[in-house]
């Protein structure tokens, strides 16, 4: 149903109490909420920069929820007023028609008002029906909570817990042909889709606020802040996440990757559906198909009634992910599907980046952006995130394995496939074969050269890849539609898991060695297909031998060695592997979405070790994928602590709607004397700091860096966090520190910690550093720009009294991906403003400065916090362009120092004054 357009201009409230702000807001917080309110009501695009510690997330939620409630009231008031006005106008016209001679003209004049009245009346009826449904939903939520807390239900749950173990081990009857894709007719009946579309048009669609952030922990913090406000009363909020975060099935949760978890979940649901479907057909009739009993089980948490109860019971409770998992575990209902079921009924959705920015994932999740308000928090890396989400890598090994699995799957069900299905499967095998050859030495490039590079990289446009791979004449859209309808990726993966590994794993016997021809590979494939046929015959013979006379079709078939798979040792079972068909389909989907030359395909060739060769689809223009979101949403808000440089956003994704963009940048809430930013050009002995690629390993500069950190650790209390440009450079510094003997001297002043490369060790490192930083001597944490500690972590108070950034962390300019992206920007965009040069070079510098800004933002996290920020490189002092891209609250206070002595004196005074101020 078309939305009702209001005519009255809502004025933003003037006090914090009007926004239900839980505290007395600072001036910048009040201005933030007022500006946000205006942006939302006028359907604009807002870019808001507000430093960490200024209550940005709370301002976003209070401002948007206040506008949402005011807007809903405004719609009802204006709708009622307009209907009354139209009725009065129609009555007046009809009265005039009674005395007018030209009755036909009078009726014609009233026709427009009658049509408009009919549309508004239908809209009002839909709105009233929606409000009635919401009241019923709230009543269901109250009843559900009463059931949860009742003593009888508690006793039943306790009894169910005792029965849970047998339930998890329950066998399910499934078809022998569970992996067979259904044969479809060419003509499909679309009546159901038409009915669904008609029902959707008749429904009232309220404005939905979708709050998007980078991590689940950040979304959880926002939900916690909403709970502290009065907005949480009667608010319908739902947190969405992946299966990896919400699954409560212990068998599935133990899998290591999100892909494996998704595949296993879908397999269990399918088996559950099969079991229900088979239950009524086990009547022993001669027409019933032969069935076998497997040790695999359905998911006991996928129960529609329990899921509906979980949705109703949590929707009004403002739940975060942990709340959903706890409630789902208690009620034995799947939190993942309960949260999905709540999407249409929620006023506010809390969503991670991936569910919004990727169209296919968004559609599969059931999220509709039309007419919604989308708020993207932590949007400083939005461009890179869009490009990363829409990139897809495909390895030579995945292509080989995918080809083998598809071929074995085809051989197994060849006689059962329709002609249409067989054609599609053959096309998929052909595509995997041709793409694999592009990564080998068998296909000559289009350039006409007779030499195919055995080592190195090649950059192709998607249409060039299709031509070189000889797949340009295939309709990839139809192939992908077939794969989506039949779920072939999931079925082939399940089939491959049930087969002996040597039948579908090219690593066993079919991976072409260096120098092997395609004929050798083809003969190996034929041999495996013959083996598969013999394996099927052997299974039939085995089944006949073990089935006793008069046995039912549910007799258990044992594996060849006579042992039950459920009880087999773990190392003897076939280990689950990732779905290799899904990456291929994702890659083909990327190729079909390229319509304006805004992407490339990078081929990385390794002739010495072909399995290491790979191809990667690169999205060069984020606007091409983000434009649909901009057009669908009523209003869009980007917010972050460090959004500079904002010109990059307006140039790359808002070029066609600059008139809608409002940019607001706010200072920090801390007093000016709470932050001491210093750009230091030289060390204690006067040696210049210039950490560019050619000079960063200079022994004299490395010694100067060690002396500087020694001096800083002498005067800075508690915690110091130093950021290096890369893990390799941090490794080099640590080795030099050890060789010079300065590590022992540094340890006397502060305990040294180093950022680990392994993600699993980060939490322990942070805990140990936190304890040491709060001690009398303090601690030094050596970290990496863009690493695990440079974003999303809070080094407040004693944890970060000083942040040191070593050099300017420019990325590797020789990277094929980066070089191609820069060339694309140079061609597609005009030279950037303020004399910064070509667009590609501007992008290159922005990558560096955004990383620096994130490091700076780790410190000074609240109004009573204080810290020093030391930038070690002469380029911070010599380049106005570099300083201009720093956060406003840093650039306004930045002091450029040529001699270390000046910086040392300023730091001593800064920490002494704060020690006296706090009476430490």
């Amino acid at each position: 149903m078309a939305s009702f357009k209001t005519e009255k201009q809502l004025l933003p409230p003037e006090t914090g109490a009007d926004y239900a702000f839980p505290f007395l807001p600072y001036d910048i917080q009040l201005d933030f909420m007022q500006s946000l309110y205006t942006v939302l009501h006028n359907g604009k695009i807002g870019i808001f920069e507000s430093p960490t510690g200024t209550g940005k997330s709370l301002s976003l939620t209070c401002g948007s929820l206040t506008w949402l409630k005011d807007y809903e009231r405004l719609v009802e008031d204006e709708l009622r007023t307009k209907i009354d006005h139209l009725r009065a106008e129609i009555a007046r016209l009809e009265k005039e028609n009674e005395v007018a001679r030209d009755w036909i003209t009078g009726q014609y004049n009233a026709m427009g008002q009658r049509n408009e009245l009919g549309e508004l009346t239908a809209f009002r009826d839909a709105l009233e029906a929606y409000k009635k449904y919401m009241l019923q939903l709230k009543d269901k939520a109250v009843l559900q909570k009463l059931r949860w807390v009742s003593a009888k239900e508690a006793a039943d749950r306790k009894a169910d817990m005792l029965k849970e173990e047998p339930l998890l081990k329950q066998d399910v009857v499934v078809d022998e042909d569970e992996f067979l894709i259904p044969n479809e007719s060419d003509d499909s009946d679309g009546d159901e889709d038409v009915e669904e579309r008609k029902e959707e048009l008749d429904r009232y669609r309220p404005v939905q606020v979708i709050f998007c952030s980078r991590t689940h922990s950040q979304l959880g913090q926002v939900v916690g802040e909403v709970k502290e406000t009065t907005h949480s009363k009667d608010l319908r909020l739902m947190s969405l996440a992946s299966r990896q975060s919400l699954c409560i099935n212990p068998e599935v949760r133990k899998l290591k990757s999100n892909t494996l978890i998704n595949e296993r979940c879908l397999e269990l649901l399918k088996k559950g559906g099969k079991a229900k479907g088979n239950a009524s057909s086990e009547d022993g009739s001669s027409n019933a198909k032969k069935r076998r009993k497997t040790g695999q089980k359905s998911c006991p948490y996928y129960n529609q009634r329990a899921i509906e109860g979980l949705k109703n019971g949590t929707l009004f409770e403002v739940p975060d992910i942990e709340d959903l998992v706890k409630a789902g575990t208690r009620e034995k209902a799947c939190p993942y599907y309960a949260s999905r079921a709540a999407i249409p009924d929620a006023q506010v959705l809390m969503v991670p980046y991936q569910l919004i920015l990727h169209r296919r994932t968004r559609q599969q999740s059931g999220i509709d952006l039309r007419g919604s308000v989308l708020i993207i928090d932590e949007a400083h890396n939005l461009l890179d995130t869009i490009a990363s989400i829409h990139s897809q890598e495909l390895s030579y090994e995945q292509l080989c394995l995918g080809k083998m699995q598809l071929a074995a799957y085809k051989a197994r069900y060849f006689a059962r496939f329709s002609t249409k299905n067989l054609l599609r499967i053959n096309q998929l095998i052909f595509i995997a074969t041709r793409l694999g050859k592009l990564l080998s030495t068998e296909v000559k490039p289009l350039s006409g050269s007779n030499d195919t590079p055995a080592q190195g990289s090649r950059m192709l446009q998607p249409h060039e890849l299709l031509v070189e791979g000889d797949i340009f004449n295939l309709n990839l859209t139809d192939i992908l539609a077939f794969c989506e309808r039949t779920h072939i990726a999931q079925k082939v993966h399940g089939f491959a898991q049930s087969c002996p590994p040597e039948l579908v794993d090219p690593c066993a016997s079919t991976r072409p060695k260096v120098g092997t021809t395609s004929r050798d590979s083809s003969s190996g494939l034929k041999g495996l297909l013959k083996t598969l046929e013999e394996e099927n015959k052997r299974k039939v013979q085995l089944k006949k031998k073990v089935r006793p006379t008069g046995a039912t079709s549910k007799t258990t078939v044992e594996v060849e060695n006579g042992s039950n798979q459920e009880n087999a040792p773990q190392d003897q079972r076939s280990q689950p592997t990732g779905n290799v068909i899904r990456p291929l389909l994702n890659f083909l989907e990327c190729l079909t979405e390229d319509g304006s030359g805004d992407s490339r395909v990078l081929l990385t060739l390794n002739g010495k070790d072909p399995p290491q060769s790979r191809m990667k689809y690169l999205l060069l223009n984020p606007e091409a994928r983000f434009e649909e979101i901009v057009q669908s949403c009523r209003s869009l808000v980007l917010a972050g602590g460090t959004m500079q440089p904002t010109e990059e956003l307006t140039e790359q994704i808002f070029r066609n709607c600059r008139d809608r963009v409002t940019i607001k940048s706010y200072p920090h809430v801390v007093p000016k004397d709470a932050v001491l930013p210093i750009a230091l050009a030289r060390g204690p002995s006067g040696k210049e700091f210039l950490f560019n690629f050619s000079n960063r390993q200079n022994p004299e500069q490395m010694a100067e860096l060690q002396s500087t950190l020694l001096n800083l650790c002498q005067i800075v209390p508690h915690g110091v966090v130093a950021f290096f440009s890369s893990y390799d450079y941090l490794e080099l510094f640590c080795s030099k520190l050890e060789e010079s003997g300065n590590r022992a001297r540094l340890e006397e002043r502060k305990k040294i910690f180093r950022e680990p490369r392994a993600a699993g060790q980060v939490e322990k490192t942070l805990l140990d550093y936190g304890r040491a930083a709060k001690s009398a001597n303090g601690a030094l944490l050596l970290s990496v720009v863009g690493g695990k500690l440079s974003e999303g972590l809070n080094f407040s108070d004693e944890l970060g009294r000083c942040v040191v950034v070593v050099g300017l962390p420019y990325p590797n300019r020789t990277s094929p991906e980066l070089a191609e992206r820069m060339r694309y920007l140079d061609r597609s965009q005009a030279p950037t403003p303020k004399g910064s040069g070509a667009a590609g070079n501007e992008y290159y510098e922005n990558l560096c400065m955004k990383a620096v800004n994130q490091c700076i933002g780790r410190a000074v996290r609240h109004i009573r916090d204080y810290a020093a920020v030391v930038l070690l490189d002469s380029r911070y002092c010599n380049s106005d362009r570099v300083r201009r891209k720093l956060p406003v609250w840093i650039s306004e206070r930045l002091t450029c120092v040529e001699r270390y002595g000046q910086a040392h004196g300023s730091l001593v005074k800064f920490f002494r004054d704060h020690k006296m101020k706090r009476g430490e």
Side-chain angles (χ1 to χ4, degrees):
M1 173 167 288
S3 60
F4 176 77
K5 294 185 178 180
T6 58
E7 298 176 355
K8 181 180 177 182
Q9 177 66 37
L10 280 175
L11 296 177
E14 297 181 353
T15 67
D18 295 328
Y19 291 96
F21 203 78
F23 316 106
L24 182 65
Y26 308 129
D27 291 341
I28 67 168
Q29 292 173 330
L30 186 58
D31 185 78
F32 190 122
M33 291 187 287
Q34 291 172 338
S35 300
L36 174 65
Y37 192 102
T38 303
V39 165
L40 298 184
H41 189 68
N42 294 331
K44 300 291 186 180
I45 297 171
I47 301 176
F48 292 86
E49 181 183 53
S50 185
T52 303
T54 57
K56 167 174 56 66
S57 299
L58 190 59
S59 300
L60 284 170
T61 52
C62 288
S64 58
L65 292 177
T66 300
W67 171 83
L68 182 63
K69 292 178 180 178
D70 291 350
Y71 179 75
E72 289 174 345
R73 284 194 294 267
L74 177 65
V75 167
E76 293 185 32
D77 293 343
E78 282 204 17
L79 183 62
R80 189 183 310 110
T81 302
K82 203 161 187 177
I83 288 176
D84 292 342
H85 173 74
L86 284 172
R87 284 175 173 169
E89 183 69 14
I90 292 172
R92 183 185 65 80
L93 291 173
E94 289 178 345
K95 189 174 183 180
E96 291 177 356
N97 290 340
E98 292 176 358
V99 297
R101 294 181 179 180
D102 191 355
W103 181 84
I104 295 177
T105 302
Q107 289 295 320
Y108 178 79
N109 292 335
M111 185 181 301
Q113 282 85 349
R114 287 195 184 96
N115 291 338
E116 186 178 0
L117 178 62
E119 292 176 358
L120 292 180
T121 303
F123 185 88
R124 184 199 59 189
D125 294 342
L127 175 59
E128 292 299 326
Y130 176 79
K131 291 171 64 177
K132 183 178 179 181
Y133 169 71
M134 286 297 112
L135 290 175
Q136 294 173 349
L137 196 63
K138 191 172 182 180
D139 291 341
K140 289 181 181 179
V142 173
L143 291 174
Q144 185 65 40
K145 289 179 65 178
L146 290 175
R147 282 196 291 266
W148 283 356
V149 299
S150 67
K152 182 178 181 301
E153 288 293 315
D156 291 343
R157 288 198 299 272
K158 185 176 180 181
D160 289 341
M161 289 176 65
L162 298 176
K163 300 175 183 177
E164 181 177 1
E165 189 66 24
L167 177 64
L168 288 174
K169 290 187 177 181
Q170 178 180 349
D171 287 338
V172 178
V173 180
V174 291
D175 278 338
E176 262 188 341
D177 300 327
E178 59 179 313
F179 303 120
L180 179 64
I181 58 176
N183 291 326
E184 300 175 332
S185 62
D186 292 335
D187 299 325
S188 58
D189 186 4
D191 291 343
E192 293 184 4
D193 293 338
V194 173
E195 290 297 324
E196 288 180 4
R197 285 194 293 270
K198 184 178 183 302
E199 183 181 347
E200 182 181 356
L201 290 174
D202 293 339
R203 282 200 308 264
Y204 169 73
R205 283 179 45 80
V207 175
Q208 195 172 51
V209 175
I210 303 175
F211 195 99
C212 181
S213 192
R214 188 169 59 89
T215 65
H216 296 309
S217 61
Q218 290 169 340
L219 291 172
Q221 292 173 5
V222 176
V223 172
E225 292 176 347
V226 173
K227 288 180 179 179
E228 299 299 321
T229 70
T230 56
H231 288 296
S232 60
K233 298 178 181 178
D234 295 332
L235 178 66
R236 303 187 304 277
L237 180 148
M238 183 53 61
S239 297
L240 303 182
S242 64
R243 289 180 175 88
Q244 193 170 26
S245 299
L246 288 176
C247 179
I248 58 174
N249 188 328
E251 178 196 340
V252 180
R253 284 184 62 87
K254 69 183 180 182
L255 300 176
K256 295 181 180 180
S257 74
N258 196 25
T259 303
L260 291 175
I261 289 175
N262 288 338
E263 295 294 340
R264 184 60 180 151
C265 173
L266 294 173
E267 287 175 15
L268 290 177
L269 297 192
K270 179 181 64 178
K271 294 179 188 303
K274 287 280 188 179
K276 293 175 183 177
N278 291 340
S280 61
S281 62
E282 291 177 20
D283 53 2
S285 65
S286 59
N287 293 329
K289 289 185 178 181
K290 294 181 180 180
R291 286 166 165 70
R292 60 184 174 88
K293 195 175 183 183
T294 71
Q296 296 173 321
K297 56 253 181 202
S298 63
C299 182
Y301 303 99
Y302 189 72
N303 180 293
Q304 289 293 347
R305 184 175 180 181
I307 288 173
E308 182 69 17
L310 180 61
K311 183 206 82 170
N312 294 335
T314 57
L315 183 58
F316 290 87
E317 295 299 306
V318 191
D320 58 17
I321 293 174
E322 292 184 1
D323 296 332
L324 286 172
V325 170
K326 288 179 182 177
T329 304
R330 183 182 66 240
E331 303 304 320
K332 296 184 178 60
C334 177
Y336 176 80
Y337 284 101
S339 65
R340 292 302 189 273
I343 289 176
D345 300 329
Q347 291 172 294
V348 181
L349 295 177
M350 310 301 292
V351 185
Y353 280 166
Q354 289 78 1
L355 290 184
I356 288 295
L357 299 180
H358 192 266
R359 180 176 61 183
R360 185 170 176 272
T361 305
R362 183 171 68 244
Q363 292 172 344
Q364 288 179 338
S365 301
I367 299 173
D368 192 347
L369 293 180
R370 290 175 298 171
S372 66
V373 169
L374 177 60
I375 300 174
I376 302 180
D377 197 10
E378 302 297 334
H380 55 276
N381 279 336
L382 178 63
L383 297 176
D384 299 327
T385 302
I386 296 173
S388 175
I389 287 175
H390 290 88
S391 296
Q392 177 65 45
E393 193 168 58
L394 193 58
S395 71
Y396 179 83
E397 189 169 8
Q398 286 175 323
L399 288 168
C400 288
L401 188 56
K403 179 181 69 174
M404 296 300 299
Q405 290 183 3
L406 285 165
Y409 178 74
K410 169 189 163 185
R412 171 64 180 85
Y413 296 107
F414 183 85
R416 309 283 298 280
F417 288 138
S418 67
T419 305
K420 184 177 179 180
N421 286 354
L422 191 59
L423 171 64
R424 296 302 186 201
I425 293 174
N426 283 333
Q427 288 174 332
L428 285 173
I429 295 173
F430 179 76
I431 291 172
T433 303
R434 296 301 301 176
L435 292 181
K437 287 185 177 180
L438 282 177
L439 294 177
S440 66
T441 58
E442 298 183 28
V443 175
K444 305 299 180 186
L446 285 177
S447 60
S449 171
N450 291 325
D451 298 326
T452 302
Q455 201 80 13
S457 61
R458 297 174 58 208
M459 191 71 69
L460 302 176
Q461 293 203 27
H463 68 86
E464 293 175 335
L465 178 83
L466 296 177
V467 172
E468 286 198 21
D470 197 21
I471 57 176
F472 63 93
N473 56 346
L474 297 179
N475 191 325
L476 298 183
T477 303
D478 287 350
I479 295 173
L480 289 170
F482 159 79
C483 296
E484 186 71 23
R485 285 194 310 271
T486 59
H487 306 287
I488 192 169
Q490 178 190 342
K491 290 179 180 295
V492 172
H493 175 67
F495 168 77
Q497 292 292 91
S498 67
C499 285
E502 63 272 9
L503 290 177
V504 291
D505 186 0
C507 298
S509 60
T510 65
R511 178 189 294 165
K513 309 295 182 185
V514 178
T516 4
T517 64
S518 58
R519 182 177 299 177
D520 298 329
S521 178
S522 176
S523 62
L525 176 59
K526 291 178 180 177
L528 283 180
L529 296 183
K530 184 177 180 181
T531 305
L532 179 64
E533 185 179 354
E534 294 174 353
E535 177 74 10
N536 291 333
K537 292 179 180 178
R538 185 194 58 76
K539 285 184 177 180
V540 173
Q541 294 295 330
L542 181 62
K543 190 180 299 185
K544 291 179 179 179
K545 289 180 181 179
V546 289
R547 178 172 296 169
T549 305
T552 67
S553 61
K554 296 174 62 177
T555 305
T556 301
V557 179
E558 296 182 349
V559 295
E560 184 174 7
N561 60 6
S563 62
N564 192 306
Q565 179 77 0
E566 187 70 28
N567 300 320
Q570 186 65 31
D571 56 352
Q572 293 181 11
R573 304 181 196 177
S574 59
Q575 296 299 318
T577 59
N579 191 324
V580 294
I581 307 299
R582 177 53 58 193
L584 173 61
L585 300 185
N586 290 343
F587 186 84
L588 296 180
E589 183 182 354
C590 290
L591 295 179
T592 59
E593 291 181 351
D594 178 76
S596 57
D598 54 16
S599 61
R600 299 290 185 272
V601 178
L602 173 64
L603 304 184
T604 304
L605 307 175
N606 191 331
K608 297 180 180 179
D609 188 10
Q612 297 302 315
S613 298
R614 57 194 64 247
M615 60 179 63
K616 185 176 183 180
Y617 176 90
L618 305 174
L619 177 66
L620 302 181
N621 179 20
E623 183 184 23
R625 303 294 184 270
F626 199 67
E627 187 175 12
E628 181 185 355
I629 294 177
V630 175
Q631 293 177 350
S632 299
C633 295
R634 170 196 174 91
S635 186
L636 175 65
V637 175
L638 308 182
T642 52
M643 294 298 294
Q644 296 296 333
T646 55
E647 294 87 356
E648 186 178 51
L649 290 170
T650 56
E651 288 295 323
Q652 291 200 39
I653 59 177
F654 297 135
R655 279 184 294 179
N656 299 325
C657 51
R658 288 191 181 95
D659 56 326
R660 293 181 60 194
V661 178
T662 298
I663 301 176
K664 299 286 287 187
S665 184
Y666 295 99
H668 213 299
V669 293
V670 298
K672 287 191 175 182
D673 63 352
V675 183
L676 179 61
I678 297 176
L680 187 57
R682 299 180 183 275
S685 63
K687 175 69 178 177
E688 182 185 13
F689 283 134
L690 183 59
F691 292 95
N692 57 21
F693 183 76
S694 60
N695 194 53
R696 62 178 185 169
Q697 296 189 27
N698 186 307
E700 295 180 1
Q701 182 172 254
M702 192 67 73
E704 199 79 344
L705 176 59
Q706 295 176 42
S707 300
T708 302
L709 287 179
L710 279 166
N711 281 285
L712 289 177
C713 289
Q714 183 69 36
I715 58 176
V716 176
H718 300 294
V720 177
V721 184
F723 289 98
F724 290 77
S725 58
S726 67
Y727 284 103
D728 291 338
Y729 194 58
L730 175 57
E731 181 81 29
L732 176 65
F733 173 78
C734 290
S735 64
K736 296 295 183 183
L737 189 68
E738 198 77 47
E739 292 173 8
S740 64
N742 284 329
R743 179 181 178 88
R745 295 175 58 196
L746 198 54
E747 286 274 14
E748 293 175 359
R749 303 178 185 186
K750 292 189 183 297
K751 189 171 182 179
I752 300 175
F753 294 88
R754 180 174 158 188
E755 178 179 329
R757 287 181 183 260
Q761 301 173 5
V762 171
E763 186 174 353
K764 182 180 185 304
T765 301
L766 286 174
L767 289 173
D768 294 341
Y769 167 76
R771 284 192 290 266
K774 294 178 180 180
S775 65
N777 289 338
L780 169 65
L781 179 59
L782 304 175
S783 307
V784 176
V785 176
K788 304 170 186 67
L789 308 181
S790 63
E791 291 190 36
L793 291 178
N794 183 351
F795 292 108
S796 61
D797 300 316
E798 293 91 349
L799 298 182
R801 288 299 181 211
C802 181
V803 170
V804 182
V805 181
V806 180
L808 284 163
Y810 286 104
N812 181 9
R813 198 162 192 157
T814 62
S815 163
E817 292 185 37
L818 178 58
E820 186 65 26
R821 201 175 298 276
M822 291 173 63
R823 283 194 293 268
Y824 175 83
L825 291 172
D826 288 340
R827 289 192 300 267
S828 61
Q829 295 185 18
T832 53
K834 302 181 183 178
S836 57
N841 191 59
E842 178 78 2
Y843 171 76
Y844 179 68
E845 291 183 350
N846 290 342
L847 287 176
C848 168
M849 294 312 300
K850 285 189 291 186
V852 170
N853 293 343
Q854 282 302 300
C855 297
I856 293 173
R858 297 313 94 212
V860 192
R861 308 288 290 190
H862 57 83
I863 193 170
R864 291 178 296 277
D865 202 358
Y866 66 95
V869 176
V870 180
L871 308 175
L872 299 181
D873 201 296
S874 59
R875 289 171 290 181
Y876 288 109
C877 299
N878 302 333
S879 174
D880 291 335
R881 191 165 67 246
V882 167
R883 291 195 298 273
R884 192 169 56 241
K885 293 178 180 179
L886 291 169
V888 175
W889 60 280
I890 290 291
S891 59
E892 289 179 347
R893 313 176 195 189
L894 183 66
T895 303
C896 295
V897 178
E898 283 293 328
R899 293 185 296 109
Y900 174 79
Q902 296 174 294
H904 191 93
S906 299
L907 288 166
V908 169
K909 183 178 183 303
F910 175 77
F911 289 111
R912 184 179 64 234
D913 291 348
H914 279 283
K915 183 177 181 180
M916 294 175 60
K917 187 182 296 186
R918 287 161 174 73
E920 296 176 357

